[in-house]
Amino acid sequence: MVPLHWTGAEKRIAREVFETACEAEKRELLETFKRRAAQMGSSDDLWQLAEDIERARRDFDRKYDYRYSQLPFVFGQLVREGRVTEDQLEGLGSEKLDFVRRFASL
């Protein structure tokens, strides 16, 4: 992939979209794990929950990579998952949007 130049305006849009999606997913994870913790009945449940939390953390950290070279991939995945809409990315250059669309369609 050819390195993409990000304008100041594009960086602001990207940061806002990234942070919004990131915080929404954190809230979802928190609610999921709170609910599971409240339903635990044994120490085995505790260890399974701990493993699942660690796995979710690794997946989350892999997904939310705010390097400009990675953002088109990140946004493509978030569009594919329904966490971000193309409308939210309005204002990004056409080259970036084309890449996001291609990656989202995989």
Side-chain angles (χ1 to χ4, degrees):
M1 184 175 143
V2 176
L4 300 172
H5 171 73
W6 291 78
T7 66
E10 289 176 319
K11 288 178 179 181
R12 285 187 292 280
I13 292 165
R15 177 56 75 180
E16 182 178 333
V17 171
F18 182 92
E19 291 298 331
T20 299
C22 184
E23 290 304 314
E25 190 159 352
K26 283 181 191 176
R27 285 190 304 274
E28 288 175 24
L29 287 168
L30 180 60
E31 289 305 313
T32 297
F33 289 120
K34 276 184 179 180
R35 190 170 37 257
R36 286 187 54 196
Q39 296 170 350
M40 288 192 312
S42 71
S43 58
D44 289 340
D45 293 339
L46 173 65
W47 304 133
Q48 184 61 55
L49 181 64
E51 287 176 23
D52 292 347
I53 290 171
E54 182 57 34
R55 185 178 313 110
R57 175 66 186 261
R58 283 192 309 268
D59 292 346
F60 184 90
D61 288 344
R62 247 184 261 119
K63 181 191 303 187
Y64 288 95
D65 183 349
Y66 195 82
R67 290 177 292 168
Y68 292 111
S69 63
Q70 297 303 304
L71 283 177
F73 298 102
V74 172
F75 291 146
Q77 181 176 356
L78 294 174
V79 167
R80 186 173 56 244
E81 292 176 358
R83 296 188 176 283
V84 169
T85 66
E86 286 189 38
D87 289 344
Q88 289 174 285
L89 298 171
E90 188 175 322
L92 296 185
S94 60
E95 185 177 41
K96 292 174 195 76
L97 289 173
D98 288 343
F99 186 85
V100 168
R101 287 183 192 110
R102 282 195 309 271
F103 194 72
S105 69
L106 296 178

